[in-house]
């Protein structure tokens, strides 16, 4: 028979024998028999019928016992020197990673060498799979010994013992070999509480998220609006890799936000309410029973030993339940104890209302702060531009700084002073970079040391790095007298004294041996039991010597030596000719010599063997003891890491400031009553100088002595959106403490940047663009203050011309007359500009261009100039973009017809609404307000009065509307318009 035929026959036999063997893999059900798609289906478990267990070999039984409990993970099963994947997992390995498939066993299989486990696990994890690692708990020799020693009773397995070692998932990695990115990776549990039938009421969120590589837990809780603004902000800031939610617990809106903001590889874990996603009470019980945070003293309150941040939310049902979901999940991955016991808990506030410049999720994404809107990568983002940190923990801190730029002028000033010092005084940054750029990820390793899963070589590196850190900080401090600001000196001053801790470890054990052999040999005095055992060993040494002397004397010969042969140590070796006492036991002999144990010697050897065993055991344990000793001071180590991270961020700001090219300037903050933003000669910082050296700078002047708002027109592609964006990015940079790519930058600190850009993005989110525009703008109208910056790019584009126009008009009117914020408003509605012609709060500007109508050529000048650009020159741009001439001609005709129709329709609708041409919604509101004011002169609220008191000193004569105000000039303007409108009635 040919080789091929033989193979075919073998395969046929295999298939015959195995048909139906795995039929339960064809119709998959969970352990409770729920089919896939059922609301109760639990993807973690697998139903395996009783009949199947009887057909399994011992090995298969072992595999399916584990796989059945971890069905949603790819199981890497250790077999000898390989990790093997079976059945569906083997298919994945074969199809996705091209691993060679074999079916020699009863199961389809692929395998990888044990040495490449980390590589392959990382590949699977990167594709979004969970990886379960199953290891052998004994060697083949161990198994043989177990069986020989009679431990193999009938029930004991006849295969090598194997156990689940760990489950690795993208959002919960702790092992440095698998962590490929310096940035933090988060796993987030989300609890959402909506009251049935009360959708209009705010939604409550409880959130718990952890960066498993540093064991840092964060807890957040807030009430959110219908749009889930805070939730979206949090998600954009944190970008979890993995989410843990309650089955059926998330609203459609929140799910949409998650799906839109997170990548396709995000892992979703749906837990059963209560049983898995614990409620608040169960969570508290579990935390207490497991004593994650230390033992409770009898009689003390259960939460006494909890970290402060956790204690502060212990009565918050939503957060505690979210933490419950997270802990349950971490427990299923066997990570709960090592992570929680680090006690690294923080309270997280996505919008630090009082102290920072709020950048909500929309703004972060519209301004491309963390990811660009093209391919979703970091290229061209503000983060990429500014984050020039050299340490992993610095990079992570910088991202957090960028989520929350500062608001108080003094805090911003302090940062800017430091940045300026660093730019001015040479040496500091160079030294910092030279030393710290080589630091390993101390923050992560410190948490690994706590978990006891750090290699001894890593531990040595940590010790020597902290030593370098102490020396470097001392050298860095010597620069501080040249600095004008106190900031850097005070940061350095906060460094805890690590010398004593480090000296302890320097003296505790032999670093050279540890480095070379991985053994901890403690110096005398550092480990009592080791010293005591050493004494026993030394004693035994002399006893052996004495015994040899005694034997020599008794047998009257000097020609006796000790001889070690394998396990038989300290045998007495002597010539065959010598006669020995009968009680001696001969162990081996050759033609010329014989070896013996005397009874006394045998006892000594046993003692020696025991003492050596003890020594080994102590040495193994010493590693754990050293780590625990190190862990006692984890707060100091982490504090030192934080200080380096902070210095790194300041250096990064300084480097980014220098790299802006020219002109660039230090922003000047003023605390004026009226908000002001003066940007002269501003460029978009993400446009790299050199490559686009023809970028045209522009001046943006808002507030102060000029109008608060600019209504911006201009041709398509004329640079409107770019101007809007660069203005906001400049504000972010300034409040972060960075220089700005402008000739001059003067501003009052902003409390929040609102952005509404384009009308394309949310189509994916399944909401009508009109709805999105309305709800977002109404949010801006209700939340913006005099200190806010608002940019609205082509508001109203997402709907019919009339509706869009009406929205655009009323919003701008509201912003101008009532809110008093600063803002830029771009529009294609040329006629909108007529409405605001005489509004002192709205400056009409446009992006200049030159048009050659004959050739349909537009030359963009990208210059912001006064006045209105009536047309958007869409057809010219289309022509320039290469659309064929006849199509453009036809389109132009259509457009003119359409425009005419729309104009007529608009006028008709306006006439019908009020019977008058010029009365708009805004004006009706104005009238209502003015009438209300005349009718009720003294209804000012306490807040108003307070504001009035403050205003008095400035001699500023204003009228109050709620917490807002109109200047006399604005009021006159409103009156004029109303009179004009009434005249035409
Ligand atoms: N100040 C500038 N200097 C040089 N090039 C610029 C400048 N501003 C914008 N550009 C270039 O013009 C292109 C179009 O800019 P932008 O998208 O801001 O125009 P727009 O007016 O918003 O267009 P649309 O009306 O189609 O939305 C940009 O991609 C950029 O390359
Ligand atoms: Mg645009």
């Amino acid at each position: 028979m040919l080789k091929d035929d033989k193979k075919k026959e073998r395969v046929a036999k295999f298939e015959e024998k195995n048909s139906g063997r795995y039929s339960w893999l064809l119709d998959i059900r969970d352990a409770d028999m729920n089919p896939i798609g059922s609301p109760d289906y639990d993807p973690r478990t697998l139903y395996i019928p009783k009949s199947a267990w009887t057909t399994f070999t011992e090995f298969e039984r072992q595999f399916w016992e584990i796989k059945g409990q971890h069905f949603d993970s790819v199981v890497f099963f250790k077999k000898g020197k390989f990790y093997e994947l079976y059945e569906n997992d083997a298919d994945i390995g074969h199809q996705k990673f091209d691993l060679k498939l074999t079916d020699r066993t009863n199961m389809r299989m692929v395998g990888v060498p044990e040495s490449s486990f980390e590589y392959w696990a990382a590949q699977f994890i990167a594709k979004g799979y969970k990886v379960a690692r199953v290891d052998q708990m004994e060697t083949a020799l161990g198994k043989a010994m177990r069986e020989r020693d009679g431990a193999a009773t009938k029930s004991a397995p006849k295969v090598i013992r194997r156990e689940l070692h760990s489950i690795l998932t993208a959002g919960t990695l702790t092992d440095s070999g698998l962590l490929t990115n310096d940035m933090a990776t988060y796993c987030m549990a989300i609890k959402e509480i909506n009251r049935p039938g009360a959708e209009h009421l705010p939604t409550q969120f409880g959130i718990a998220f952890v960066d498993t590589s540093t064991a840092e837990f964060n807890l957040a809780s807030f009430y959110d609006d219908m749009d889930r603004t805070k939730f979206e902000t949090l998600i954009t800031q944190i970008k979890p890799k993995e989410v843990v939610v309650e089955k059926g617990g998330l609203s459609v809106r929140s799910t949409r936000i998650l799906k839109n903001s997170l990548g396709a590889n995000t892992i979703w874990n749906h837990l059963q309410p209560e049983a898995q996603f614990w409620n608040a009470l169960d969570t508290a019980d579990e935390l207490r029973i497991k004593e994650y945070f230390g033992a409770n003293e009898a009689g003390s309150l259960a939460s006494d030993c909890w970290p402060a941040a956790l204690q502060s939310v212990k009565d918050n049902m939503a957060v505690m339940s979210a933490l419950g979901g997270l802990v349950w999940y971490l427990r299923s991955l066997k990570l709960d104890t090592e992570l929680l016991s680090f006690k690294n808990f923080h309270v997280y506030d996505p919008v630090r209302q009082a102290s920072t410049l709020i950048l909500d999720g929309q703004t972060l994404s519209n301004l491309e702060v963390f990811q660009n809107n093209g391919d979703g990568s970091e290229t061209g983002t503000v983060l990429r531009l500014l984050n020039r940190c050299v340490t992993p923990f610095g990079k992570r801190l910088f991202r957090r700084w960028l989520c929350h730029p500062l608001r108080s002028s003094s805090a911003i000033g302090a940062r800017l002073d430091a940045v300026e010092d660093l730019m001015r005084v040479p040496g500091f940054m160079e030294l910092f970079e030279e030393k710290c750029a080589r630091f390993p990820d101390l923050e992560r390793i410190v948490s690994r040391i706590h978990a006891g899963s750090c290699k001894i070589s890593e531990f040595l590196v940590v010790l020597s790095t902290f030593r370098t850190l102490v020396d470097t900080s001392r050298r860095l401090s010597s620069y501080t007298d040249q600095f004008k600001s106190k900031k850097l000196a005070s940061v350095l001053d906060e460094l805890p004294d690590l010398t004593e801790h480090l000296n302890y470890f320097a003296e505790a054990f032999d670093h050279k041996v540890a480095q070379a052999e991985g053994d901890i040999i403690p110096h005398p005095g550092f480990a009592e039991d080791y010293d005591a055992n050493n004494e026993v060993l030394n004693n035994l040494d002399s006893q052996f010597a004495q015994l040899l002397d005694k034997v020599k004397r008794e047998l009257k010969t000097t020609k006796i030596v000790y001889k070690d042969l394998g396990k038989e140590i300290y045998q007495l070796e002597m010539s065959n000719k010598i006669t020995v006492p009968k009680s001696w036991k001969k162990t081996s002999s050759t033609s010329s010599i014989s070896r013996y144990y005397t009874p006394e010697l045998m006892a000594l050897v046993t003692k020696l063997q025991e003492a050596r065993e003890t020594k080994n055991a102590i040495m193994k344990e010493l590693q754990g003891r050293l780590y625990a000793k190190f862990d006692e001071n984890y707060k100091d180590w982490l504090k030192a890491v934080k200080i380096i991270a902070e210095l790194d961020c300041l250096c990064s700001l300084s480097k980014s400031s220098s790299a802006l090219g020219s002109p660039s300037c230090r922003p000047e903050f003023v605390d004026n009553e009226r908000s002001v933003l003066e940007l002269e000669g501003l460029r978009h910082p993400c446009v790299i100088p050199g490559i686009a050296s023809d970028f045209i700078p522009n001046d943006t002047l808002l507030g102060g002595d000029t109008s608060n708002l600019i209504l911006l027109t201009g041709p398509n592609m004329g640079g409107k959106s770019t101007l809007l964006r660069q203005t906001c990015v400049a504000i972010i940079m300034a409040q972060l403490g960075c220089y700005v790519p402008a000739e001059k930058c003067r501003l009052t600190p902003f409390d929040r940047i609102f952005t509404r850009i384009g009308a394309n993005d949310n189509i994916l989110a399944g909401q009508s663009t009109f709805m999105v525009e309305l709800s977002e703008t109404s949010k801006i109208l209700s939340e913006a203050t005099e200190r806010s910056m608002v940019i609205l790019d082509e508001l109203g584009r997402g709907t019919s011309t009339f509706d869009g126009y009406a929205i655009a008009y009323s919003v701008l009117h509201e912003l101008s007359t009532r809110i008093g914020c600063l803002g830029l408003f771009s529009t294609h509605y040329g006629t909108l500009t007529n409405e605001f012609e005489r509004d002192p709060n709205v400056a009409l500007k446009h992006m200049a261009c030159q048009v050659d109508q004959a050739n349909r050529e537009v030359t963009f000048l990208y210059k912001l100039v006064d006045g209105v650009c009536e047309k958007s020159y869409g057809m010219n741009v289309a022509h320039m973009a290469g659309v064929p001439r006849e199509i453009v001609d036809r389109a132009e005709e259509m457009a003119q017809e359409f425009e005419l129709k729309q104009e007529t329709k608009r006028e008709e609708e306006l006439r019908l609404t009020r019977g008058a041409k010029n009365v708009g919604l805004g004006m009706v509101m104005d009238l209502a307000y003015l009438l209300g004011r005349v009718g009720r002169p003294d209804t000012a609220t306490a807040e108003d009065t307070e504001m009035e008191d403050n205003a008095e000193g400035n001699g500023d004569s204003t009228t109050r509307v709620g917490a807002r105000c109109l200047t006399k000039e604005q009021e006159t303007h409103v009156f004029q318009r109303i009179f004009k409108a009434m005249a035409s009635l």
Side-chain angles (χ1 to χ4, degrees):
M1 210 186 272
L2 285 171
K3 205 173 156 198
D4 269 4
D5 290 341
K6 266 190 182 165
K7 190 177 173 196
K8 266 187 203 153
E9 193 184 286
R10 212 174 57 223
V11 171
K13 265 192 188 159
F14 178 82
E15 278 175 2
E16 187 193 317
K17 196 171 143 207
N18 286 286
S19 71
R21 192 180 167 89
Y22 290 123
S23 54
W24 35 276
L25 274 179
L26 298 177
D27 171 28
I28 289 170
R29 284 159 187 267
D30 71 10
D32 294 329
M33 290 293 282
N34 297 307
I36 294 178
S38 136
D40 293 329
Y41 175 70
D42 178 4
R44 269 174 297 273
T45 60
L46 171 72
Y47 167 72
I48 304 173
K50 271 207 180 103
S51 56
W53 291 105
T54 58
T55 63
F56 286 155
T57 61
E58 279 237 30
F59 176 76
E60 283 175 293
R61 170 185 290 274
Q62 194 182 41
F63 172 77
W64 286 109
E65 264 167 11
I66 295 176
K67 180 70 186 175
Q69 294 302 311
H70 303 278
F71 190 57
D72 61 344
S73 305
V74 172
V75 176
F76 278 64
F77 213 68
K78 181 84 180 287
K79 210 175 165 202
K81 297 228 167 290
F82 286 84
Y83 279 98
E84 296 185 346
L85 283 61
Y86 303 107
E87 287 299 312
N88 298 4
D89 296 345
D91 293 341
I92 295 172
H94 178 57
Q95 286 158 11
K96 297 266 159 81
F97 303 97
D98 229 7
L99 292 167
K100 191 173 176 316
L101 191 70
T102 42
D103 47 21
R104 263 182 317 215
T105 55
N106 284 338
M107 298 188 274
R108 294 191 304 287
M109 174 202 101
V110 301
V112 299
E114 63 175 348
S115 55
S116 63
F117 171 77
E118 272 192 359
Y119 170 81
W120 285 110
Q123 299 289 315
F124 277 73
I125 291 165
K127 283 241 177 351
Y129 293 104
K130 297 180 176 181
V131 168
R133 175 173 151 189
V134 176
D135 275 346
Q136 298 185 169
M137 302 313 288
E138 58 189 355
T139 56
L141 187 69
K143 178 186 162 246
M145 278 165 58
R146 170 161 60 85
E147 283 165 356
R148 188 196 61 201
D149 295 348
T153 55
K154 269 191 184 163
S155 61
K158 295 203 173 53
V159 282
I160 288 176
R161 274 200 302 121
R162 292 184 177 84
E163 276 175 22
L164 180 72
H165 174 275
S166 51
I167 298 178
L168 308 166
T169 75
T172 62
L173 297 177
T174 56
D175 202 349
S176 53
L178 287 165
L179 287 158
T180 48
N181 195 332
D182 283 343
M183 297 316 272
T185 308
Y186 293 105
C187 176
M188 178 186 282
I190 302 162
K191 172 86 174 183
E192 180 176 355
I193 302 176
N194 288 298
R195 300 196 201 299
E199 279 71 28
H200 55 286
L201 290 180
T203 301
Q204 190 185 1
F205 279 98
I207 311 254
F209 57 96
V210 60
D211 174 2
T212 49
S213 71
T214 55
E216 183 194 300
F217 284 81
N218 280 281
L219 305 168
S221 127
F222 47 85
Y223 282 88
D224 213 348
D225 57 28
M226 293 255 286
D227 290 323
R228 309 284 190 267
T229 312
K230 285 185 191 157
F231 180 63
E232 187 175 25
T233 303
L234 177 82
I235 296 299
T236 317
Q237 290 169 347
I238 302 302
K239 271 221 160 277
K241 262 258 178 345
E242 198 163 343
V243 288
V244 178
V245 296
E246 247 178 326
K247 243 179 221 175
L250 276 200
S251 63
V252 177
R253 273 167 196 264
S254 308
T255 311
R256 265 192 206 137
I257 288 175
L258 284 170
K259 292 238 155 101
N260 281 328
S261 317
L262 305 177
N265 278 347
T266 309
I267 299 178
W268 288 71
N269 299 285
H270 297 272
L271 307 193
Q272 305 279 7
E274 300 285 328
Q276 300 175 336
F277 207 111
W278 299 324
N279 64 33
L281 294 176
D282 288 349
T283 307
D285 278 349
E286 290 288 344
L287 294 179
R288 204 188 59 228
I289 293 164
K290 284 275 173 178
E291 299 189 337
Y292 289 120
F293 308 113
N296 284 307
E297 283 179 24
S300 72
L301 285 173
S303 55
D304 275 0
C305 55
W306 290 10
L310 182 57
Q311 286 201 31
S312 73
V313 300
K314 72 180 192 317
D315 298 324
N316 183 317
M317 296 294 183
V319 186
M320 287 302 286
S321 175
L323 180 63
L326 187 62
V327 172
W328 184 92
Y329 181 60
L330 293 176
R331 192 182 285 178
S332 76
L333 302 178
K334 300 178 153 201
L335 289 172
D336 53 336
T337 308
E338 69 172 68
L339 295 179
L340 288 161
S341 58
F342 205 41
K343 293 191 181 187
N344 192 358
F345 273 74
H346 307 266
V347 171
Y348 188 88
D349 181 1
V351 287
R352 297 182 193 162
Q353 211 82 34
S355 58
T356 65
L357 163 65
I358 298 173
L359 304 172
D360 57 34
Q362 279 294 322
T363 300
L364 289 173
S365 102
N366 283 335
L367 299 179
E368 306 192 311
V369 175
F370 295 128
Q371 74 181 58
N372 69 36
N373 293 333
D375 59 5
S377 74
E378 220 183 72
T379 318
T381 57
V382 181
L383 179 69
R384 175 65 66 83
L385 172 83
L386 300 180
N387 194 349
R388 290 166 199 258
C389 290
V390 295
T391 63
F393 28 94
K395 286 177 196 165
R396 293 195 287 269
L397 180 64
F398 196 90
R399 198 180 189 283
R400 289 205 288 274
W401 278 20
L402 191 52
C403 281
H404 307 283
L406 303 173
R407 194 189 300 175
S408 104
S409 339
S410 58
I412 303 170
R415 262 196 207 169
L416 281 165
D417 288 344
V419 165
E420 211 163 60
D421 279 337
L422 289 171
M423 286 163 86
R424 196 173 44 82
V425 178
F428 186 98
M429 279 210 289
E430 288 77 0
L431 176 65
F432 181 86
E433 201 158 310
E434 183 202 322
K435 296 292 176 194
C436 302
R438 277 182 259 151
F439 281 5
D441 199 331
L442 291 172
E443 195 181 7
R444 283 181 179 168
I445 309 180
V446 168
S447 82
R448 290 298 81 218
I449 293 175
H450 167 81
S453 62
C454 159
K455 294 190 193 92
I456 194 73
S457 56
E458 267 181 318
F459 183 63
L460 294 174
V461 172
V462 167
L463 293 178
S464 71
T465 307
F466 274 113
R467 178 73 73 183
T468 316
L469 189 154
V470 171
D471 295 344
T472 310
S473 71
R474 212 168 281 141
R475 285 174 65 192
L476 289 172
S477 295
S478 69
Y479 285 88
T480 51
D481 10 325
Q482 298 175 59
F483 292 156
K484 283 188 195 153
S485 86
K486 298 267 178 300
K487 175 91 184 167
L488 288 158
S490 70
V491 172
L492 279 166
D493 271 353
E494 279 178 43
L495 191 77
D497 186 11
L498 302 178
T499 325
E500 208 177 302
H501 305 331
L502 287 168
N503 286 347
Y504 172 86
F505 291 105
E507 289 156 18
F509 65 101
D510 187 331
H511 286 229
K512 277 201 186 108
V513 176
Q515 185 73 52
E517 289 156 37
D519 286 337
I520 307 273
I521 310 288
H523 288 146
F526 281 90
E528 270 176 31
D529 49 355
Y530 186 90
D531 292 348
N533 191 61
N534 248 7
E535 211 172 303
V536 173
L537 282 167
N538 290 340
N539 252 336
L540 281 169
D541 267 354
S542 56
Q543 286 182 36
F544 275 111
Q546 282 166 14
L547 191 127
L548 187 60
D549 283 347
K550 196 174 113 196
V551 170
K552 281 178 182 170
R553 270 198 314 276
E554 278 174 15
L555 300 182
K556 299 194 175 63
T557 168
T558 53
K559 292 191 174 158
I560 303 177
V561 290
Y562 279 131
K563 181 83 183 174
D564 292 355
L565 269 180
K567 283 187 180 168
E568 317 276 309
I569 50 172
Y570 280 97
Q571 303 173 76
L572 286 170
E573 188 180 276
M574 61 196 83
S575 156
N576 282 340
K577 290 177 192 146
I578 301 174
T579 328
V580 302
K582 282 215 176 76
S583 61
W584 290 23
K585 187 178 152 205
K586 191 184 238 178
T587 47
S588 57
S589 60
T590 67
S591 54
S592 56
I593 55 123
S594 289
R595 303 185 191 103
Y596 302 93
Y597 275 146
T598 74
E600 197 185 348
L601 180 57
M602 283 245 299
L604 271 187
V605 166
T606 312
K607 268 192 192 161
L608 178 67
Q609 278 167 335
E610 279 169 7
R612 283 185 177 171
E613 194 57 40
T614 312
K615 180 178 171 176
N616 282 338
I618 295 176
M619 269 164 48
K620 268 197 195 137
E621 219 192 277
L622 271 174
Q623 183 171 332
R625 273 192 241 164
L626 274 180
Y627 290 178
K629 180 84 189 157
F630 182 93
D631 196 41
E632 277 172 19
N633 303 111
Y634 80 94
K635 283 199 174 130
D636 286 347
W637 306 118
L638 284 188
K639 173 92 189 168
V641 171
K642 214 175 131 241
I643 284 165
I644 296 297
E646 195 170 344
L647 290 177
D648 201 6
C649 289
L650 290 169
C651 289
S652 171
L653 285 175
S654 169
K655 280 182 271 183
S656 306
S657 297
S658 312
L660 286 175
S662 158
S664 61
C665 68
R666 175 183 167 142
E668 180 197 343
F669 283 87
V670 286
D671 278 321
N672 282 4
E673 167 88 353
R674 236 171 107 76
S675 299
V676 61
L677 176 68
E678 287 174 22
L679 289 159
E680 287 176 18
L682 175 72
R683 307 181 309 280
H684 197 301
C686 295
V687 179
I688 305 147
I691 297 177
S693 51
D694 48 356
F695 194 90
I696 313 294
N698 271 308
D699 300 346
T700 318
L701 306 175
L702 297 171
D705 299 333
T706 49
S707 349
N708 282 353
L709 302 166
I710 289 180
L711 179 55
L712 183 63
T713 46
N716 284 111
M717 296 291 289
K720 300 182 295 298
S721 304
T722 309
L723 183 85
L724 265 52
R725 286 203 175 96
Q726 76 188 25
T727 307
C728 295
V729 173
I731 295 173
I732 294 178
M733 289 172 74
Q735 293 192 213
L736 193 62
C738 184
Y739 274 37
V740 173
E743 277 161 22
K744 180 182 172 194
C745 171
R746 187 168 166 273
L747 69 163
T748 43
F750 288 87
D751 61 1
R752 181 159 176 179
I753 297 180
F754 290 93
T755 56
R756 168 78 211 130
I757 293 188
N760 44 23
D761 42 356
N762 283 288
I763 293 168
L764 276 178
Q767 291 185 53
S768 91
T769 47
F770 183 55
M771 269 304 291
V772 172
E773 289 208 314
L774 274 188
S775 69
E776 280 184 9
T777 36
S778 75
K779 185 169 73 202
I780 296 178
L781 294 181
S782 66
E783 292 178 19
T785 73
E786 301 92 323
R787 289 289 187 228
S788 304
M789 173 74 190
V790 177
I791 62 166
L792 299 169
D793 198 354
E794 298 186 27
L795 183 71
R797 188 158 81 168
T799 182
S800 79
T801 315
F802 176 73
D803 289 347
Y805 185 89
I807 297 175
Y809 170 77
S810 8
V811 168
L812 187 54
H813 179 83
E814 180 80 3
L815 290 179
S816 130
T817 53
R818 302 215 199 286
I819 296 186
C821 61
L822 302 191
L824 292 162
F825 197 114
S826 85
T827 183
H828 276 300
Y829 298 118
T831 42
L832 188 62
T833 53
N834 301 341
E835 313 266 359
F836 294 95
E837 240 167 13
R838 272 178 286 149
D839 188 334
N841 251 342
V842 181
L844 305 181
K845 303 213 176 212
H846 70 281
M847 300 307 292
C849 64
Q850 281 173 351
V851 188
D852 174 355
Q853 258 324 341
N855 296 322
R856 280 218 172 93
E857 296 265 326
V858 183
T859 313
F860 301 117
L861 302 175
Y862 303 118
K863 201 74 202 163
L864 181 68
V865 291
D866 286 340
V868 179
C869 175
E870 292 288 347
K871 290 186 65 176
S872 55
Y873 301 105
M875 298 305 157
N876 306 54
V877 176
H879 168 70
M880 286 159 66
V883 180
R885 190 168 192 109
E886 25 331 334
I887 297 181
V888 177
D889 283 344
R890 177 76 192 116
E892 185 144 29
E893 269 171 42
M894 297 271 293
Q896 274 166 6
E897 250 171 60
F898 181 74
E899 223 165 90
L900 203 66
K901 267 194 211 150
Q902 287 298 325
E903 187 63 18
T904 327
K905 192 173 157 210
R906 192 173 75 82
E907 285 191 359
E908 178 71 2
E909 279 179 297
L910 278 174
R911 200 172 57 74
L912 288 176
T913 5
R914 217 43 189 89
K917 267 198 276 181
N918 286 326
V919 180
L921 195 61
M923 200 167 301
V924 176
M925 291 189 302
D926 281 341
L927 188 59
Y929 144 66
L930 285 172
L931 291 174
R933 193 172 80 83
V934 174
R936 285 174 284 125
D938 48 12
T939 49
T941 61
E943 194 183 358
D944 296 337
T945 322
E946 195 181 303
M947 288 177 67
E948 229 135 17
D949 290 346
N950 291 340
E952 252 169 12
N954 300 323
D956 197 9
S957 156
T958 53
T959 303
R960 307 284 153 185
V961 190
R964 320 241 179 262
C965 60
L966 290 187
T967 61
K968 277 278 172 257
E969 201 178 355
Q970 287 166 337
E971 208 177 294
T972 315
H973 172 72
V974 171
F975 270 123
Q976 274 172 359
R977 286 169 58 91
I978 292 171
F979 285 137
K980 206 171 124 197
M982 284 165 78
S984 68
L985 276 173

